[in-house]
Amino acid sequence: MGLSPEAVERVSRLWGKSAARNGGRTHLLLGHLLDTAAVAGVMWDWYVSAAFRRRLDEISGGRGRLWFMWVCGIHDCGKACPAFQAMDVDEAAPVLAAGLTWGRLPADRQKRWRHDVAGAVLLMPRLVAEWGNEEAAGWVWPLVAGHHGTFPSAAALRPPRGAQGRGTAWEEAQRAVVDVFTRAVGFEDLADVRPVGSLRKAEQLALSGLIVMADWIASDSSQFPGLADAGLISFAGARRRAEAAWERLRLRGGWRDLPLPENPLDPLTHRLGVQPRASQRELVERAWSMPAPGLLVAEAPMGEGKTKAALAAAEVLAARFGLGGVFVAMPTQATSDPMYEQVLQWVRTFDAELESQVALLHGRRRFNAWWRAIWDGKLRPDGGGCGGEDGGCQGARDMADEDFGAIDEDADYGMAFAQPSTDRTADLKADGPAYWFLGDKRGLLTAFAVGTVDHLLHAATRTRHVMLRFAGLAGKVVIVDEVHAADVYMRQFLVEALRWLGQAGVPVVLLSATLPPAQRQRFVDAYLSGVLGTADVHQPVPEPAGYPCVTVAYGVNGRAVAETSREVVRSWRESAPVRLAWLPDTDPAGKRVAAAARNAVAGGGIALVVVNQVDRAQEIYRDLRDGGFDGVLHLLHARLCAAHRADRTTECLRLMGPQAGADRPERMVVIATQLAEQSFDVDADVLITDLAPTDLLLQRIGRLHRHSGTYRPASHRVPRVLVTGVALGRDGTPRFLRASERIYGEWSLLRAAALVTEAAGSLTAADTGEPAASGWSIPADVPGLVARAYGNVEICPVGWNEVGAWEQWQAKEREREKNAEEYLLCRRREWAFPTLEGLHYAGSRAASEEQLDAVVRDGDPSVEVVVVRRASGGYRAIDGTWLGVHGEVDDDEVTDRLMGGTVRLPPRLTDAAQAELSPLPGWAGRPWLRYHLALVLEEDGTRLLGADWVSYHDALGLVIEREAR
C-alpha cells in the first residue's frame, strides 16, 4: 500500500482494548476493527432482515454485505488519536516509542475528547474529498460519532488542542488505519466505499443500532481474546473468531426467507387453528392487499380474537416484505405473560428451534413458568423436562442477569458493563437461547419479543443508545394491543414511534376495542408523515362502514393512502342489551359498594367490582370479609407481591375464565382495580364499577357475560352494571371520588357520566341501585359512545360546567404534551432533516429504566422492593422461608420464594425508599437480588417508611397508612 516502515510500525502499535480491561490481553486497534467487521458479516448472513439487506444493497450498488461490514468496523477509527491512546499508561508506552507523541491533554472528564467524535473528525474530510459528495459523507459520519449512544451536532466536532493528533506522523497513521482496514475488508480504497444512495433517517437509526450490536459482540474478550502482535491479525482470522463467537453465544435471527402462505387464510386456519371470524378475515385480507408496508388499525369488540388475527397478519406482512420477527406490545406486565405463552405456541409452528428466540420483556418475567423453562433451564409447565434438548437444567442459572460484552475503555463514556467470564458458556449446548440478548437495552434485538408498550415508547425517546432499541424494531412487524390504553402523554411517544417506524418501512398493527376516531386519524397521519418524510401529513380516514372495521395507511409513489372497511363486517357475537344503573357513592371506604356486591350475589352468581384506587379496593374487601361473606372472595390489585398477584390472577381465570366449567363457584365476588380493564379474560354475571372515562368503562363492561355457554342463575340472565364512584353534589352537578378525578380529570368523567345518565337515568332518580330498563347495546353502541365521549359537541346537562372542565382539561393536556416534547426523539421542526446529526441536542435526562418508565408514562419514578420479615436471628421471605443471619440465599428455589415478595411501591414512597432501603448483605452474590431493595418489616409486621406506616398482609397486600401526627 506504499506505507513507510515507520507508518507500518506506528499503526501496528495503536491499541484498541487495554489489557487491564480486556481479560488481561491487549487487543490492537486494527484487530478490533476487523473483528467488528467480521461480526457484521455474520450478522448479515444470519441476523439482518431481508428487507434491510435489500436497502443496503440498493444504496451500495449491490454490495450491501461488504458495505455493512465496512461501516460497522470503521466505528472505532477515532481511537487512533492521542486523547484515547494516552488513557492507559502501559498501553501508551509502545505508541510513544513508535514516534506518535502528544503533549498535555485535558484531565477533566467533561472536557475529555471522546473517540467516537474523534472518529467523525478523522473521517469526514476524507469522505468529502474522496467521495466527492458532501451529502453522502453527511449521513455516514454521524454513524461513527454516535456509536456510544448519542449523536452530536457538527458544532461538537472541535477537538481540544492536541487531542486529535498533530503533525505528519499522526496524520499518516490515521490515514493508514482507515486505508488498511478498508482494503482488508475487501474494498479497493476509500473512494470505492462511496454509497450510490442514501438511507432515510429512520433507516440510519436502525443501522446505527446494528453497528452498536456488532461492536458490543466484538468487544467480549471471552469470545475475542486480545491480539497484541500485528502479525497475527488478518480479516480471515477475524472471520473465524466471529463465526465461532456467534455459535458459542448462540446468536441467531428469526425468520429467514419466510415463504408466502399457500392459501390466504392459512395463517389463521392452519397456523393458529381458528375458524376465521369476519373481523379476523378482514384484517388478514388487508395485510395481503397492501402494496407496501403500512399501518393497520383493527377495531373490534372485546373477545373478538384481534390478537390472533394480528399474528396471522404479521406472518403475511413478514413473508411479503422480508421481515424477520415480531414484537407484540401489551399495556401491562400482567397482560404480557399470557401473550408471551400464545406467541411461544405460534412460533413453534414455524420451527421448534425458534422457541428459544422469543423474549419476554418485563421486570417480573422470572415468575413466568415458560420463561423459566426456556431461558433458565427449569422444568416446563407441561412437565416436558427442562428447556434444553439435552435435558440438563444446569448452565443457565444466574446468567440471565449478567451483562455480555464488556466494552472496556468505553466505560468512560457511560456504559460500564460487567467483565465477562471466560468460561460461562462452556457448558451450554448450541440449541438453547442466546443470553446475550438479556443484557442492558438489548431485549428488542431478539427475533420475537413480547413486552409492555413501554419498550416501544422507549424507542421514541431521545435517550442514550435509543438506536439499539430501534434496531430491534426495524426488522420486525410491530403489534400494539389495547392501543386505546395510552393517555395523551403516552400517545406523544406512540405517535413519535409511528413516524420513525413508518419511515423505516416497518409494518405496524394497532388493536383496540374502543378507539376514538380522532386518535385513529392521528395515528394514521403520524405513520404517513414518516412514510413521506414530511412533518405535517393529513390524510383523512374515510368513515368506516360499521364495527368491527380495519383501517390501512401506506404510501405509494410519494402519495399517502388511507382506506377503511367499505362494507359492514359482522361481529362474531350478536349485540346484547346491558342494563345500567347508578349506585351513588363517593366514600373511599365503599361501604355501599360492599353491600351492593353482597346483595348482587345473594341468590348466586359472580360479581366483579372494579374500583379506581387500591385503598378503596382493600376497604371493600375488608367489609365483605369481616361481614361474614359466605362465598369465594378475591382481591386483585397492583400492590400485591408478585407471587400472590400471579397466584390470584391464575385462580380468578380458573374460576371465571373461558375454561371454568364446573369450577365456576356458586357465589363469588372479585374486587379489582384497573388491572381488570385489559386482557383479563374473565366472565362476570354482574359488574359494579367506579365511573371511568367512557372507553375504559366499556373495557370493564367487556368482562361481563363474555363467554358463550356459561351457566348463570336466572337473576343474571341480562347483564347488569352498577356505576358508582360518583354522587350528586349540592349544586346538582356530579361529584367524583378524589382519586378518580386525580387520575382521569373532571372533563372525561363528566362526559362519561352524561352518557351513563342517558341509559340509567339521572343521579337524582337513583334509588337502591336496581338497573334501569334502558341501557346500552354491546358491542353495537361501542364506537358511537366512544366517538361522542371524545367529540367536540357538548353532551352534558345544563349546569354541569362542561365548558369550564373542558378548558381546564385542555390546558393540562397542552402542558403534558409540552412536557413530553422534551423527551421525544426528534423535535418537530427537525423531522425532515436528512441525517442523525445533532439528534441528541440536549442529551438525555433519563439515566435508569425506572426514570425512563416515568418519562413515557408521565409519572414520578417508582421502585420495586422485596418484602422480607425480620425474625429472631435473621430474616424470612414473605412466605416464611428462612434466609439466614444476613439474608443469605443458598439456591434458586429459595431465590424464587424470596423474589415472590417483590412489590412496586407507590411513587410517593420513592424518595423514602431510596433513602432508607438497601439490599440485604447476603444478596451480594446473587444476580437477581444484588440490586433489589429490601423492605424489611419488623417482627410485628410493620415498619415506618418516611412518614408512612407500611405493612404487608397475605390477603390485602401492601397496606400504607399515614403516621398520626
Side-chain angles (χ1 to χ4, degrees):
M1 295 179 63
L3 294 174
S4 67
E6 293 82 7
V8 171
E9 176 70 11
R10 290 162 184 159
V11 170
S12 299
R13 292 288 178 263
L14 292 170
W15 62 277
K17 304 285 179 183
S18 67
R21 296 186 178 181
N22 194 57
R25 298 176 62 175
T26 302
H27 196 30
L28 295 179
L29 176 56
L30 275 175
H32 177 58
L33 300 188
L34 291 173
D35 284 345
T36 309
V39 169
V42 181
M43 287 169 59
W44 178 278
D45 295 337
W46 299 106
Y47 181 82
V48 180
S49 71
F52 203 65
R53 296 199 306 269
R54 281 198 298 268
R55 282 295 290 133
L56 291 178
D57 274 334
E58 288 170 8
I59 63 100
S60 64
R63 298 186 294 177
R65 186 178 189 274
L66 184 59
W67 198 87
F68 180 60
M69 290 192 296
W70 179 85
V71 78
C72 287
I74 202 67
H75 75 285
D76 259 356
C77 66
K79 288 184 174 179
C81 74
F84 182 85
Q85 295 295 312
M87 286 178 66
D88 186 292
V89 175
D90 293 334
E91 306 293 354
V95 179
L96 290 166
L100 292 172
T101 60
W102 49 83
R104 193 170 188 174
L105 297 169
D108 185 354
R109 280 179 60 91
Q110 299 300 318
K111 296 180 180 178
R112 187 178 295 168
W113 185 232
R114 294 169 37 142
H115 73 262
D116 47 359
V117 183
V121 171
L122 187 159
L123 266 183
M124 188 161 54
R126 288 201 61 188
L127 298 183
V128 172
E130 299 187 40
W131 289 359
N133 186 326
E134 288 192 17
E135 181 181 335
W139 70 265
V140 171
W141 74 257
L143 300 175
V144 174
H147 82 264
H148 276 297
T150 60
F151 297 99
S153 64
L157 307 185
R158 295 175 182 166
R161 182 180 178 86
Q164 186 72 11
R166 305 174 67 189
T168 304
W170 272 111
E171 181 180 345
E172 188 177 20
Q174 289 168 348
R175 289 185 65 90
V177 166
V178 174
D179 291 343
V180 170
F181 166 75
T182 300
R183 282 277 291 274
V185 169
F187 284 105
E188 292 182 11
D189 51 32
L190 191 59
D192 190 32
V193 181
R194 176 189 168 183
V196 298
S198 298
L199 291 178
R200 309 180 84 193
K201 188 174 183 175
E203 294 169 330
Q204 295 168 30
L205 189 66
L207 175 57
S208 175
L210 295 175
I211 292 170
V212 174
M213 179 179 173
D215 179 25
W216 285 9
I217 293 170
S219 295
D220 185 344
S221 63
S222 67
Q223 307 299 329
F224 295 85
L227 296 174
D229 181 352
L232 299 177
I233 292 172
S234 69
F235 193 42
R239 281 199 298 264
R240 288 191 295 271
R241 286 154 61 95
E243 288 166 359
W246 189 265
E247 287 297 317
R248 281 194 299 267
L249 292 173
R250 304 191 296 204
L251 298 169
R252 64 194 78 175
W255 290 314
R256 306 298 294 175
D257 303 316
L258 182 66
L260 285 168
E262 292 185 11
N263 296 303
L265 293 180
D266 275 358
L268 278 170
T269 57
H270 290 181
R271 183 80 60 201
L272 290 162
V274 301
Q275 185 64 36
R277 296 167 178 168
S279 61
Q280 295 174 321
R281 183 188 298 266
E282 174 79 355
L283 182 59
V284 173
E285 288 176 349
R286 287 285 179 170
W288 277 107
S289 66
M290 290 169 61
L295 174 72
L296 297 97
V297 185
E299 299 168 65
M302 293 71 77
E304 186 79 13
K306 293 185 291 293
T307 51
K308 285 191 174 181
L311 293 176
E315 178 183 348
V316 174
L317 294 167
R320 292 186 63 213
F321 301 120
L323 286 309
V326 174
F327 172 56
V328 184
M330 303 297 293
T332 62
Q333 292 183 359
T335 57
S336 297
D337 279 8
M339 179 54 63
Y340 169 66
E341 290 161 33
Q342 186 172 333
V343 170
L344 270 179
Q345 294 171 6
W346 176 63
V347 163
R348 284 190 208 110
T349 66
F350 295 94
D351 183 346
E353 290 188 4
L354 289 178
E355 177 186 70
S356 62
Q357 299 302 303
V358 185
L360 177 59
L361 306 181
H362 67 66
R364 295 186 180 180
R365 63 190 176 200
R366 182 181 179 87
F367 301 104
N368 183 284
W370 278 105
W371 170 269
R372 297 296 304 279
I374 294 168
W375 289 81
D376 272 3
K378 302 293 185 184
L379 290 173
R380 290 177 175 271
D382 58 8
C386 297
E389 289 181 11
D390 60 354
C393 291
Q394 300 295 325
R397 292 179 183 148
D398 294 344
M399 297 179 60
D401 198 44
E402 297 288 353
D403 288 315
F404 280 65
I407 51 175
D408 50 78
E409 280 67 26
D410 303 346
D412 290 321
Y413 305 112
M415 288 301 296
F417 279 17
Q419 273 290 352
S421 162
T422 56
D423 62 354
R424 68 180 157 209
T425 57
D427 59 343
L428 297 176
K429 300 291 181 69
D431 56 357
Y435 298 100
W436 187 91
F437 289 122
L438 299 185
D440 192 27
K441 305 176 184 179
R442 309 177 205 173
L444 283 173
L445 292 169
T446 46
F448 304 93
V450 178
T452 56
V453 71
D454 303 58
H455 291 274
L456 173 62
L457 305 183
H458 291 174
T461 57
R462 194 179 57 260
T463 47
R464 181 178 287 274
H465 290 106
V466 66
M467 69 283 288
L468 265 181
R469 304 182 196 275
F470 192 77
L473 296 172
K476 295 180 173 65
V477 180
V478 174
I479 299 170
V480 188
D481 201 4
E482 312 272 15
V483 72
H484 55 267
D487 64 15
V488 66
Y489 185 89
M490 293 169 66
R491 279 199 300 274
Q492 294 282 96
F493 296 98
L494 180 55
V495 163
E496 181 75 357
L498 289 173
R499 286 196 192 100
W500 286 83
L501 294 171
Q503 191 175 77
V506 175
V508 178
V509 185
L510 305 180
L511 307 176
S512 178
T514 54
L515 189 65
Q519 286 188 36
R520 180 203 305 139
Q521 182 67 60
R522 191 175 181 199
F523 294 152
V524 165
D525 288 343
Y527 190 88
L528 289 174
S529 72
V531 171
L532 301 183
T534 307
D536 297 300
V537 171
H538 179 65
Q539 184 64 33
V541 176
E543 186 70 23
Y547 176 76
C549 65
V550 176
T551 299
V552 296
Y554 53 88
V556 177
N557 300 323
R559 180 174 60 88
V561 177
E563 303 168 343
T564 194
S565 300
R566 293 179 293 274
E567 298 178 1
V568 175
V569 178
R570 289 179 61 85
S571 174
W572 75 278
R573 183 171 57 181
E574 294 296 327
S575 285
V578 175
R579 294 180 182 174
L580 283 83
W582 289 113
L583 177 64
D585 174 57
T586 54
D587 176 8
K591 289 189 176 298
R592 286 202 70 186
V593 177
R598 186 181 284 110
N599 182 61
V601 298
I606 296 181
L608 174 63
V609 180
V610 183
V611 296
N612 297 338
Q613 187 180 24
V614 174
D615 293 346
R616 181 167 161 88
Q618 289 172 329
E619 289 297 327
I620 293 169
Y621 177 88
R622 274 194 183 110
D623 191 300
L624 286 165
R625 181 194 63 186
D626 298 345
F629 178 70
D630 63 350
V632 179
L633 187 61
H634 281 301
L635 176 64
L636 189 60
H637 58 73
R639 281 192 225 152
L640 292 170
C641 71
H644 292 163
R645 181 168 161 182
D647 291 345
R648 214 163 291 176
T649 301
T650 301
E651 182 66 0
C652 287
L653 290 170
R654 184 182 72 81
L655 296 175
M656 55 192 295
Q659 309 300 323
D663 289 335
R664 192 173 174 87
E666 178 185 349
R667 185 180 294 106
M668 174 169 163
V669 174
V670 176
I671 303 114
T673 56
Q674 292 92 331
L675 295 179
E677 272 175 12
Q678 298 152 350
S679 300
F680 189 45
D681 193 9
V682 296
D683 184 339
D685 296 317
V686 61
L687 172 70
I688 304 174
T689 173
D690 279 345
L691 185 70
T694 304
D695 54 334
L696 304 183
L697 194 60
L698 289 164
Q699 287 290 331
R700 296 177 187 185
I701 292 173
R703 315 305 129 193
L704 190 61
H705 288 227
R706 184 179 178 93
H707 305 136
S708 59
T710 300
Y711 169 77
R712 306 181 200 283
S715 58
H716 295 304
R717 294 292 166 81
V718 176
R720 297 182 299 151
V721 181
L722 298 181
V723 181
T724 187
V726 59
L728 204 62
R730 291 180 181 177
D731 58 358
T733 62
R735 289 290 176 264
F736 310 112
L737 284 163
R738 283 188 180 179
S740 301
E741 200 164 324
R742 187 174 63 250
I743 296 166
Y744 301 119
E746 184 185 17
W747 177 76
S748 62
L749 293 174
L750 282 174
R751 304 276 285 193
L755 292 172
V756 172
T757 297
E758 294 176 2
S762 67
L763 272 163
T764 54
D767 45 46
T768 60
E770 282 302 308
S774 60
W776 291 337
S777 180
I778 303 295
D781 287 348
V782 168
L785 288 167
V786 173
R788 291 182 63 204
Y790 292 96
N792 299 319
V793 178
E794 293 182 32
I795 62 173
C796 294
V798 176
W800 281 20
N801 191 26
E802 182 180 2
V803 173
W806 160 255
E807 290 173 350
Q808 187 179 25
W809 184 79
Q810 279 286 86
K812 186 165 185 179
E813 298 295 87
R814 282 193 293 269
E815 181 184 357
R816 296 179 77 202
E817 287 186 354
K818 185 176 179 181
N819 291 341
E821 285 177 4
E822 296 181 22
Y823 291 96
L824 290 177
L825 186 49
C826 186
R827 288 184 288 194
R828 183 175 180 81
R829 61 182 176 275
E830 295 178 359
W831 172 244
F833 283 16
T835 80
L836 296 170
E837 184 254 322
L839 189 71
H840 288 84
Y841 63 91
S844 168
R845 283 181 268 170
S848 68
E849 288 293 312
E850 287 80 7
Q851 288 174 311
L852 196 50
D853 288 339
V855 163
V856 299
R857 289 188 180 264
D858 192 26
D860 296 321
S862 61
V863 296
E864 283 193 333
V865 297
V866 180
V867 180
V868 296
R869 304 185 192 277
R870 195 183 301 278
S872 177
Y875 301 91
R876 292 189 182 275
I878 200 165
D879 69 346
T881 300
W882 175 251
L883 301 179
V885 177
H886 303 292
E888 295 89 344
V889 178
D890 296 329
D891 56 35
D892 272 12
E893 183 178 350
V894 176
T895 300
D896 288 348
R897 290 173 176 270
L898 177 60
M899 289 291 284
T902 303
V903 66
R904 184 168 292 279
L905 297 178
R908 67 186 175 90
L909 295 182
T910 298
D911 290 344
Q914 292 176 335
E916 300 176 26
L917 306 182
S918 61
L920 291 182
W923 296 355
R926 305 294 293 184
W928 277 98
L929 288 171
R930 59 187 174 207
Y931 302 120
H932 280 77
L933 301 179
L935 178 66
V936 180
L937 303 179
E938 300 303 325
E939 292 189 52
D940 67 354
T942 68
R943 70 162 290 153
L944 188 65
L945 185 60
D948 295 278
W949 281 103
V950 178
S951 58
Y952 191 91
H953 305 263
D954 288 353
L956 293 171
L958 193 72
V959 176
I960 302 166
E961 298 173 296
R962 181 66 65 174
E963 182 185 23
R965 295 188 180 279

